[in-house]
Amino acid sequence: MTDRFPISLQEQTVHTGPQFTPTQPATPGGGGGRATPLLIGGIAFAAVFLLIVGGTIGYLVLRGNDGEPASGGTATTTDPSSASASASATPTGEVEEERRWRPETMERAGDNPSGKPRGGGLQFIPPAVYDQRQTPRGVAYVNDAQGAYAQAEDGWYSGMFVGAVEWRPGIEYPGNEVASEKIVACYFAASIWGDTEGRTLDDQVTEPVTIAGLPGYRTTATVNFAKAPMELTSATSLTVIVLDTPQGPSVFMLETAVGVAEHEEAAAEALESLTGVA
């Protein structure tokens, strides 16, 4: 990790020439002549025009109602103030799943006992080389997390942490297998990889495990970089283990600089020390 820990009536003038006063009286009765048929014709035309326009508008209104999606469709908005509301609920009131969701703030449920980082229902013993403590960054679906980190070289670290798995309220928890895969995918997609370029997520495997008597799933994968400023490594190994604990689903995650033997050995050591909490 480079400097990171593993986000626009016009008035018409009519020129008619000289004006003359009529010398003949108007047509007897004041009506008839050319004016009467013109007036009647104008009124008839206006009536027909209104009928046509009114009918067209009525047709379009009715047609518009028929065009609504049968299932309700999806509402859209350009008002920034309503963006969060439209993103969090469907027209039927159901909450939509948000990609890479995580709690607004990381909350700790308790302290670390005897130097063991604790989160959710898990704790582990950090190896000596992992001498820095930090709340993990870029991790989705995790709360109550605590991590330990070790410097691989200037600006690049390996890390490990435990925490509680937390899904967005209103969204059904998909289970430990899917949770482990989603945490890996979201971590890979997070903006935490510094000056590296062309990263790929390779060799991903998910399998059931039981650790310290706790059942769950483990997803492993390797993040490879096409271009990176590091000298000792060009890849990062990811391991995400989601286990059932009395405190609820909890996660242990390892992010290890590939090729740094001391860190790889320490990661295995930390995994062996992983237990539930009383």
Side-chain angles (χ1 to χ4, degrees), residues 23-245:
T23 59
Q24 298 294 330
T27 304
R34 296 182 57 203
T36 299
L38 286 174
L39 178 60
I40 294 174
I43 293 173
F45 175 80
V48 172
F49 177 78
L50 289 174
L51 286 173
I52 293 173
V53 171
T56 301
I57 292 175
Y59 168 76
L60 291 175
V61 169
L62 292 173
R63 185 175 181 270
N65 290 338
D66 291 340
E68 292 183 0
S71 61
T74 301
T76 59
T77 179
T78 56
D79 182 0
S81 65
S82 63
S84 58
S86 63
S88 62
T90 67
T92 59
E94 297 178 356
V95 178
E96 292 181 336
E97 185 170 3
E98 179 182 330
R99 192 162 168 254
R100 298 203 298 271
W101 180 87
R102 58 188 173 200
E104 292 185 3
T105 58
M106 186 74 70
E107 298 179 354
R108 295 287 288 138
D111 298 327
N112 299 322
S114 303
K116 293 181 180 180
R118 171 184 288 187
L122 297 173
Q123 62 186 12
F124 70 99
I125 301 173
V129 68
Y130 282 75
D131 57 357
Q132 301 186 38
R133 301 293 179 264
Q134 181 80 17
T135 299
R137 295 176 52 203
V139 186
Y141 307 111
V142 173
N143 206 345
D144 186 28
Q146 180 63 47
Y149 295 83
Q151 188 172 22
E153 58 183 275
D154 187 28
W156 196 262
Y157 294 78
S158 294
M160 53 184 65
F161 74 86
V162 284
V165 177
E166 183 174 321
W167 233 245
R168 182 176 186 178
I171 299 296
E172 183 179 0
Y173 180 59
N176 296 340
E177 180 177 10
V178 172
S180 68
E181 294 172 338
K182 280 184 172 288
I183 292 172
V184 166
C186 292
Y187 197 76
F188 169 73
S191 301
I192 58 172
W193 302 104
D195 295 330
T196 62
E197 298 178 12
R199 69 180 182 272
T200 58
L201 187 65
D202 304 314
D203 305 321
Q204 181 170 325
V205 176
T206 301
E207 57 189 352
V209 295
T210 299
I211 298 176
L214 304 172
Y217 281 85
R218 172 174 57 203
T219 295
T220 59
T222 301
V223 182
N224 288 297
F225 308 107
K227 182 179 180 180
M230 298 86 72
E231 296 180 358
L232 300 179
T233 183
S234 61
T236 292
S237 172
L238 300 181
T239 298
V240 171
I241 302 171
V242 178
L243 302 173
D244 285 323
T245 77

